[in-house]
Short mmCIF file of all heavy atoms in Angstrom, two decimals:
data_model
loop_
_atom_site.label_atom_id
_atom_site.label_comp_id
_atom_site.label_asym_id
_atom_site.label_seq_id
_atom_site.Cartn_x
_atom_site.Cartn_y
_atom_site.Cartn_z
N GLY A 290 74.40 273.57 44.73
CA GLY A 290 74.42 272.90 46.02
C GLY A 290 73.30 271.90 46.20
O GLY A 290 72.92 271.58 47.32
N ARG A 291 72.76 271.39 45.09
CA ARG A 291 71.63 270.46 45.15
C ARG A 291 72.03 269.02 44.83
O ARG A 291 71.16 268.15 44.72
CB ARG A 291 70.54 270.90 44.17
CG ARG A 291 69.87 272.22 44.57
CD ARG A 291 69.08 272.83 43.43
NE ARG A 291 68.22 271.85 42.79
CZ ARG A 291 67.77 271.96 41.54
NH1 ARG A 291 68.11 273.00 40.81
NH2 ARG A 291 66.99 271.04 41.03
N LEU A 292 73.33 268.77 44.69
CA LEU A 292 73.79 267.40 44.48
C LEU A 292 74.04 266.79 45.85
O LEU A 292 74.93 267.23 46.58
CB LEU A 292 75.07 267.39 43.64
CG LEU A 292 75.56 266.01 43.18
CD1 LEU A 292 74.53 265.33 42.29
CD2 LEU A 292 76.89 266.15 42.43
N PRO A 293 73.28 265.76 46.25
CA PRO A 293 73.40 265.22 47.61
C PRO A 293 74.80 264.68 47.87
O PRO A 293 75.50 264.22 46.97
CB PRO A 293 72.36 264.08 47.64
CG PRO A 293 71.43 264.37 46.51
CD PRO A 293 72.25 265.06 45.46
N ALA A 294 75.20 264.76 49.13
CA ALA A 294 76.53 264.28 49.51
C ALA A 294 76.66 262.79 49.26
O ALA A 294 77.75 262.29 48.97
CB ALA A 294 76.81 264.60 50.98
N GLN A 295 75.55 262.03 49.39
CA GLN A 295 75.60 260.60 49.14
C GLN A 295 75.49 260.24 47.67
O GLN A 295 75.50 259.07 47.30
CB GLN A 295 74.50 259.87 49.92
CG GLN A 295 73.08 260.16 49.45
CD GLN A 295 72.49 261.40 50.11
OE1 GLN A 295 73.22 262.22 50.64
NE2 GLN A 295 71.18 261.52 50.07
N GLY A 296 75.38 261.26 46.81
CA GLY A 296 75.33 261.02 45.38
C GLY A 296 73.92 260.88 44.84
O GLY A 296 72.95 260.78 45.59
N SER A 297 73.82 260.89 43.52
CA SER A 297 72.52 260.79 42.87
C SER A 297 72.72 260.26 41.46
O SER A 297 73.81 260.38 40.89
CB SER A 297 71.84 262.16 42.83
OG SER A 297 70.60 262.09 42.16
N VAL A 298 71.66 259.66 40.91
CA VAL A 298 71.68 259.19 39.52
C VAL A 298 71.16 260.32 38.65
O VAL A 298 70.05 260.82 38.85
CB VAL A 298 70.85 257.92 39.33
CG1 VAL A 298 70.83 257.52 37.86
CG2 VAL A 298 71.42 256.79 40.16
N VAL A 299 71.96 260.76 37.68
CA VAL A 299 71.64 261.93 36.86
C VAL A 299 71.60 261.51 35.39
O VAL A 299 72.49 260.80 34.92
CB VAL A 299 72.69 263.04 37.04
CG1 VAL A 299 72.39 264.23 36.14
CG2 VAL A 299 72.73 263.48 38.50
N GLU A 300 70.56 261.93 34.70
CA GLU A 300 70.51 261.74 33.26
C GLU A 300 71.11 262.98 32.63
O GLU A 300 70.51 264.05 32.61
CB GLU A 300 69.07 261.54 32.78
CG GLU A 300 68.98 261.23 31.30
CD GLU A 300 67.59 260.82 30.87
OE1 GLU A 300 66.90 260.16 31.67
OE2 GLU A 300 67.20 261.17 29.75
N CYS A 301 72.31 262.84 32.12
CA CYS A 301 73.09 263.99 31.67
C CYS A 301 72.54 264.51 30.35
O CYS A 301 72.25 263.74 29.43
CB CYS A 301 74.56 263.59 31.51
SG CYS A 301 75.65 265.02 31.39
N ASP A 302 72.38 265.84 30.26
CA ASP A 302 71.88 266.46 29.04
C ASP A 302 73.01 267.04 28.20
O ASP A 302 72.79 267.91 27.36
CB ASP A 302 70.88 267.57 29.38
CG ASP A 302 71.49 268.61 30.32
OD1 ASP A 302 72.67 268.46 30.68
OD2 ASP A 302 70.77 269.55 30.70
N ARG A 303 74.22 266.54 28.42
CA ARG A 303 75.40 267.07 27.73
C ARG A 303 75.47 266.62 26.27
O ARG A 303 76.05 267.32 25.43
CB ARG A 303 76.66 266.60 28.46
CG ARG A 303 77.96 267.01 27.82
CD ARG A 303 79.12 266.45 28.60
NE ARG A 303 79.17 266.99 29.93
CZ ARG A 303 79.68 268.18 30.23
NH1 ARG A 303 80.15 268.96 29.28
NH2 ARG A 303 79.70 268.60 31.47
N PHE A 304 74.89 265.48 25.94
CA PHE A 304 75.18 264.86 24.65
C PHE A 304 73.98 264.67 23.73
O PHE A 304 73.94 263.71 22.98
CB PHE A 304 75.81 263.48 24.88
CG PHE A 304 76.85 263.48 25.94
CD1 PHE A 304 76.59 263.00 27.20
CD2 PHE A 304 78.10 264.01 25.69
CE1 PHE A 304 77.55 263.01 28.19
CE2 PHE A 304 79.07 264.05 26.68
CZ PHE A 304 78.79 263.55 27.93
N PRO A 305 72.94 265.50 23.76
CA PRO A 305 71.81 265.22 22.87
C PRO A 305 72.19 265.33 21.40
O PRO A 305 71.73 264.56 20.57
CB PRO A 305 70.78 266.29 23.27
CG PRO A 305 71.59 267.37 23.91
CD PRO A 305 72.71 266.68 24.59
N GLY A 306 73.08 266.29 21.08
CA GLY A 306 73.48 266.43 19.69
C GLY A 306 74.28 265.25 19.18
O GLY A 306 74.33 265.00 17.98
N ALA A 307 74.95 264.53 20.09
CA ALA A 307 75.76 263.38 19.69
C ALA A 307 74.92 262.12 19.58
O ALA A 307 75.43 261.07 19.22
CB ALA A 307 76.88 263.17 20.69
N GLY A 308 73.63 262.20 19.89
CA GLY A 308 72.77 261.03 19.79
C GLY A 308 73.01 260.02 20.88
O GLY A 308 72.68 258.85 20.73
N THR A 309 73.58 260.44 22.00
CA THR A 309 73.90 259.52 23.09
C THR A 309 73.22 259.97 24.37
O THR A 309 73.30 261.14 24.74
CB THR A 309 75.42 259.47 23.32
OG1 THR A 309 76.06 259.11 22.11
CG2 THR A 309 75.77 258.46 24.40
N THR A 310 72.51 259.06 25.03
CA THR A 310 71.91 259.35 26.32
C THR A 310 72.75 258.70 27.40
O THR A 310 73.00 257.50 27.37
CB THR A 310 70.47 258.80 26.40
OG1 THR A 310 69.70 259.43 25.38
CG2 THR A 310 69.86 259.10 27.76
N VAL A 311 73.20 259.50 28.33
CA VAL A 311 74.11 259.02 29.36
C VAL A 311 73.46 259.20 30.72
O VAL A 311 73.02 260.30 31.07
CB VAL A 311 75.46 259.78 29.32
CG1 VAL A 311 76.36 259.32 30.44
CG2 VAL A 311 76.13 259.57 27.98
N ARG A 312 73.35 258.14 31.47
CA ARG A 312 72.91 258.19 32.86
C ARG A 312 74.09 257.77 33.72
O ARG A 312 74.73 256.75 33.45
CB ARG A 312 71.72 257.27 33.10
CG ARG A 312 70.49 257.66 32.33
CD ARG A 312 69.38 256.65 32.50
NE ARG A 312 68.90 256.59 33.87
CZ ARG A 312 69.21 255.64 34.74
NH1 ARG A 312 70.00 254.65 34.38
NH2 ARG A 312 68.74 255.66 35.96
N HIS A 313 74.37 258.57 34.72
CA HIS A 313 75.53 258.23 35.54
C HIS A 313 75.25 258.52 37.00
O HIS A 313 74.42 259.37 37.36
CB HIS A 313 76.78 258.99 35.08
CG HIS A 313 76.59 260.47 34.88
ND1 HIS A 313 76.34 261.34 35.92
CD2 HIS A 313 76.59 261.22 33.75
CE1 HIS A 313 76.22 262.55 35.46
NE2 HIS A 313 76.35 262.52 34.13
N ALA A 314 75.95 257.78 37.85
CA ALA A 314 75.94 258.05 39.28
C ALA A 314 76.93 259.18 39.53
O ALA A 314 78.10 259.10 39.16
CB ALA A 314 76.34 256.81 40.07
N SER A 315 76.45 260.27 40.14
CA SER A 315 77.26 261.46 40.37
C SER A 315 77.46 261.66 41.87
O SER A 315 76.49 261.67 42.62
CB SER A 315 76.60 262.70 39.77
OG SER A 315 76.48 262.57 38.37
N VAL A 316 78.71 261.81 42.27
CA VAL A 316 79.05 262.03 43.67
C VAL A 316 79.90 263.29 43.76
O VAL A 316 80.90 263.42 43.04
CB VAL A 316 79.83 260.83 44.25
CG1 VAL A 316 80.35 261.14 45.63
CG2 VAL A 316 78.95 259.59 44.28
N PRO A 317 79.52 264.25 44.61
CA PRO A 317 80.31 265.49 44.70
C PRO A 317 81.64 265.26 45.40
O PRO A 317 81.77 264.42 46.29
CB PRO A 317 79.41 266.41 45.53
CG PRO A 317 78.57 265.49 46.35
CD PRO A 317 78.36 264.26 45.50
N LEU A 318 82.64 266.03 44.98
CA LEU A 318 83.95 266.03 45.61
C LEU A 318 84.17 267.43 46.18
O LEU A 318 84.12 268.42 45.44
CB LEU A 318 85.05 265.70 44.60
CG LEU A 318 84.93 264.38 43.84
CD1 LEU A 318 86.04 264.25 42.81
CD2 LEU A 318 84.96 263.21 44.80
N HIS A 319 84.40 267.50 47.48
CA HIS A 319 84.60 268.80 48.13
C HIS A 319 85.89 268.73 48.94
O HIS A 319 85.91 268.15 50.02
CB HIS A 319 83.43 269.15 49.05
CG HIS A 319 82.14 269.40 48.31
ND1 HIS A 319 81.96 270.46 47.45
CD2 HIS A 319 80.98 268.71 48.30
CE1 HIS A 319 80.75 270.42 46.95
NE2 HIS A 319 80.13 269.37 47.45
N SER A 320 86.95 269.32 48.39
CA SER A 320 88.20 269.43 49.15
C SER A 320 88.33 270.86 49.63
O SER A 320 87.52 271.74 49.29
CB SER A 320 89.40 269.05 48.28
OG SER A 320 89.65 270.05 47.31
N ALA A 321 89.34 271.11 50.43
CA ALA A 321 89.53 272.46 50.97
C ALA A 321 89.97 273.44 49.89
O ALA A 321 89.83 274.65 50.07
CB ALA A 321 90.58 272.42 52.09
N ARG A 322 90.44 272.95 48.76
CA ARG A 322 91.01 273.83 47.75
C ARG A 322 90.26 273.83 46.43
O ARG A 322 90.47 274.70 45.61
CB ARG A 322 92.48 273.44 47.49
CG ARG A 322 93.34 273.61 48.73
CD ARG A 322 94.69 272.97 48.57
NE ARG A 322 95.48 273.20 49.77
CZ ARG A 322 96.29 274.23 49.93
NH1 ARG A 322 96.42 275.10 48.98
NH2 ARG A 322 96.97 274.38 51.05
#
Side-chain angles (χ1 to χ4, degrees):
R291 293 165 48 203
L292 188 61
Q295 68 273 18
S297 178
V298 177
V299 177
E300 184 171 325
C301 195
D302 56 0
R303 177 182 296 280
F304 316 103
T309 303
T310 300
V311 177
R312 296 175 65 257
H313 48 68
S315 297
V316 172
L318 303 176
H319 293 294
S320 72
R322 297 168 178 269

